[in-house]
Amino acid sequence: MLAPLDLRGADVATVVLPRPPSGSSDGDEPVEAVRSIIAEVRAGGDGALLELTERFDRVRLGSLTVPADELAAAQERIPPDVRAAIEVAASSVEAFHRTQLVPDRTDERNGFRIASRHLPVDRAGCYVPGGRAIYPSTVLMTAIPARVAGVPEVVLCVPPGPDGKVP
């Protein structure tokens, strides 16, 4: 449960925020459910992902990859004005994230040390919701920063629609 914290009029440079009590949470059930799913995927790989997709999305897939011809056809269906808007947005997102390519830094204040470190990763997974939350902006805001950071492998995951295809 979140508790309100009123900082109006406070000198934010000297405020020490309260920390939640050790071990507090809304229960271990969500954590255990996630651990179970991760264990299933580690043990069963892509086969487990296909089974989980059938269980949670109620869709039986033959593959986890969208065929190249479906990708090309989807790209052709985008109206030119929408595509232009997406390209402008993509360019803006990329430009913004390029400004974040800065050296590591550390800030110390009131006995606290806050460090900003840039650690390279070999791959990134980006999740884009489906259903009623189909937003191209989610792709832009997750995949572009990974590319700007130099991540060599970026994987995009999207739940299938009822027909088994990516919306």
Side-chain angles (χ1 to χ4, degrees):
M1 176 64 89
L2 294 176
L5 181 62
D6 187 352
L7 295 176
R8 288 178 286 190
D11 178 2
V12 294
T14 60
V15 170
V16 176
L17 297 176
R19 299 199 181 261
S22 178
S24 68
S25 74
D26 288 337
D28 294 332
E29 288 180 34
V31 172
E32 288 308 315
V34 170
R35 283 187 178 136
S36 172
I37 290 169
I38 291 170
E40 282 184 60
V41 173
R42 281 190 176 138
D46 287 355
L49 289 174
L50 291 168
E51 290 173 18
L52 289 163
T53 299
E54 189 170 352
R55 183 187 329 160
F56 292 120
D57 298 314
R58 295 181 183 89
V59 175
R60 181 175 288 204
L61 300 178
S63 172
L64 295 172
T65 305
V66 177
D69 61 327
E70 284 186 32
L71 290 173
Q75 192 170 3
E76 292 300 318
R77 286 192 305 269
I78 301 172
D81 58 333
V82 173
R83 185 175 175 144
I86 291 171
E87 289 172 359
V88 167
S91 177
S92 296
V93 170
E94 181 178 354
F96 172 77
H97 284 284
R98 289 208 178 281
T99 68
Q100 295 182 325
L101 294 173
V102 296
D104 294 348
R105 64 176 278 212
T106 301
D107 183 38
E108 293 188 36
R109 193 184 303 185
N110 301 324
F112 289 95
R113 177 184 295 170
I114 301 171
S116 171
R117 298 183 354 188
H118 300 85
L119 302 172
V121 295
D122 294 327
R123 69 181 69 107
C126 303
Y127 176 76
V128 179
R132 292 180 291 202
I134 303 169
Y135 303 123
S137 59
T138 305
V139 177
L140 302 179
M141 299 294 186
T142 57
I144 291 174
R147 287 293 189 200
V148 168
V151 177
E153 182 181 1
V154 179
V155 177
L156 185 69
C157 299
V158 181
D163 61 356
K165 298 190 181 298
V166 174

